[in-house]
PDB file of all heavy atoms in Angstrom:
ATOM      1  N   GLU J  24      74.922  49.438 -12.440  1.00  0.00           N
ATOM      2  CA  GLU J  24      74.439  49.944 -13.775  1.00  0.00           C
ATOM      3  C   GLU J  24      75.601  49.988 -14.779  1.00  0.00           C
ATOM      4  O   GLU J  24      75.425  49.694 -15.961  1.00  0.00           O
ATOM      5  CB  GLU J  24      73.805  51.326 -13.567  1.00  0.00           C
ATOM      6  CG  GLU J  24      72.434  51.262 -12.841  1.00  0.00           C
ATOM      7  CD  GLU J  24      72.619  51.115 -11.338  1.00  0.00           C
ATOM      8  OE1 GLU J  24      73.644  51.432 -10.769  1.00  0.00           O
ATOM      9  OE2 GLU J  24      71.584  50.622 -10.759  1.00  0.00           O
ATOM     10  N   LYS J  66      64.082  25.276 -30.337  1.00  0.00           N
ATOM     11  CA  LYS J  66      63.525  26.138 -29.337  1.00  0.00           C
ATOM     12  C   LYS J  66      64.419  27.266 -28.868  1.00  0.00           C
ATOM     13  O   LYS J  66      63.990  28.311 -28.382  1.00  0.00           O
ATOM     14  CB  LYS J  66      62.967  25.306 -28.166  1.00  0.00           C
ATOM     15  CG  LYS J  66      62.264  25.974 -27.100  1.00  0.00           C
ATOM     16  CD  LYS J  66      61.813  24.964 -26.003  1.00  0.00           C
ATOM     17  CE  LYS J  66      61.091  25.605 -24.943  1.00  0.00           C
ATOM     18  NZ  LYS J  66      60.635  24.696 -23.899  1.00  0.00           N
ATOM     19  N   LEU J  80      66.279  31.027 -17.756  1.00  0.00           N
ATOM     20  CA  LEU J  80      67.605  30.800 -17.210  1.00  0.00           C
ATOM     21  C   LEU J  80      67.545  29.931 -15.962  1.00  0.00           C
ATOM     22  O   LEU J  80      68.443  29.068 -15.766  1.00  0.00           O
ATOM     23  CB  LEU J  80      68.242  32.212 -16.767  1.00  0.00           C
ATOM     24  CG  LEU J  80      68.668  33.157 -17.855  1.00  0.00           C
ATOM     25  CD1 LEU J  80      69.301  34.361 -17.242  1.00  0.00           C
ATOM     26  CD2 LEU J  80      69.620  32.500 -18.827  1.00  0.00           C
ATOM     27  N   LYS J  93      80.830  28.522 -28.234  1.00  0.00           N
ATOM     28  CA  LYS J  93      79.822  29.419 -28.829  1.00  0.00           C
ATOM     29  C   LYS J  93      78.627  29.638 -27.889  1.00  0.00           C
ATOM     30  O   LYS J  93      78.138  30.709 -27.791  1.00  0.00           O
ATOM     31  CB  LYS J  93      79.366  28.897 -30.166  1.00  0.00           C
ATOM     32  CG  LYS J  93      80.416  29.017 -31.259  1.00  0.00           C
ATOM     33  CD  LYS J  93      79.899  28.395 -32.570  1.00  0.00           C
ATOM     34  CE  LYS J  93      80.935  28.503 -33.654  1.00  0.00           C
ATOM     35  NZ  LYS J  93      80.435  27.972 -34.928  1.00  0.00           N
ATOM     36  N   ASN J 144      86.762  37.731 -26.141  1.00  0.00           N
ATOM     37  CA  ASN J 144      87.841  38.724 -26.479  1.00  0.00           C
ATOM     38  C   ASN J 144      88.160  39.486 -25.190  1.00  0.00           C
ATOM     39  O   ASN J 144      87.627  39.256 -24.124  1.00  0.00           O
ATOM     40  CB  ASN J 144      87.310  39.587 -27.630  1.00  0.00           C
ATOM     41  CG  ASN J 144      86.111  40.448 -27.219  1.00  0.00           C
ATOM     42  OD1 ASN J 144      85.918  40.852 -26.075  1.00  0.00           O
ATOM     43  ND2 ASN J 144      85.258  40.726 -28.230  1.00  0.00           N
ATOM     44  N   ILE J 177      86.835  42.894  10.374  1.00  0.00           N
ATOM     45  CA  ILE J 177      86.672  42.849   8.912  1.00  0.00           C
ATOM     46  C   ILE J 177      87.673  41.872   8.288  1.00  0.00           C
ATOM     47  O   ILE J 177      87.466  41.265   7.268  1.00  0.00           O
ATOM     48  CB  ILE J 177      86.764  44.251   8.299  1.00  0.00           C
ATOM     49  CG1 ILE J 177      86.579  44.224   6.731  1.00  0.00           C
ATOM     50  CG2 ILE J 177      88.140  44.834   8.556  1.00  0.00           C
ATOM     51  CD1 ILE J 177      85.186  43.732   6.333  1.00  0.00           C
ATOM     52  N   SER J 194      92.352  36.375 -10.122  1.00  0.00           N
ATOM     53  CA  SER J 194      93.777  36.299 -10.547  1.00  0.00           C
ATOM     54  C   SER J 194      93.927  35.506 -11.858  1.00  0.00           C
ATOM     55  O   SER J 194      94.657  35.911 -12.760  1.00  0.00           O
ATOM     56  CB  SER J 194      94.618  35.736  -9.439  1.00  0.00           C
ATOM     57  OG  SER J 194      95.943  35.572  -9.825  1.00  0.00           O
TER      58      SER J 194
END
Side-chain angles (χ1 to χ4, degrees):
E24 291 77 21
K66 185 177 178 177
L80 289 182
K93 288 180 180 180
N144 64 33
I177 183 63
S194 176

